[in-house]
Amino acid sequence: LPWPIGHLAKLSSRDELREEIQRYASYTPIANAAGLPAMSVPVHRSADGIPVGAQFLGGPGREDRLLKLAAQFERAGAWDGRVAPIG
């Protein structure tokens, strides 16, 4: 789940910030380094209604497959018009 608002501001050092980001988003740099298209798609909702995403990677130049997959998730999950709670 996403961090609560202000979570990162509570960290005391750059090293602590770096460690927290690596723990939370350690897989995203892999796609960047490999030059692969990637996307995060909401696939679930928490008990509080917060969207929970999954990251998908495509083959080189295969953004079309990722977009087709995203469209399938959108149709199956009825995400249109839903808004996450703020606060």
Side-chain angles (χ1 to χ4, degrees):
L1 294 175
W3 293 310
I5 293 173
H7 172 75
L8 295 178
K10 297 175 186 175
L11 302 178
S12 61
S13 69
R14 283 188 162 181
D15 288 338
E16 194 175 345
L17 175 63
R18 181 182 44 78
E19 289 172 12
E20 185 71 357
I21 291 172
Q22 283 180 334
R23 183 187 66 77
Y24 187 77
S26 61
Y27 297 105
T28 57
I30 295 169
N32 294 341
L36 299 174
M39 69 177 181
S40 178
V41 177
V43 295
H44 182 67
R45 284 200 177 260
S46 71
D48 296 331
I50 304 291
V52 178
Q55 183 181 18
F56 296 94
L57 300 177
R62 294 314 309 254
E63 290 85 351
D64 61 320
R65 287 188 178 176
L66 290 178
L67 293 172
K68 287 177 184 177
L69 178 63
Q72 291 174 0
F73 272 107
E74 186 174 338
R75 282 191 300 273
W79 292 97
D80 189 33
R82 290 186 174 185
V83 178
I86 297 174

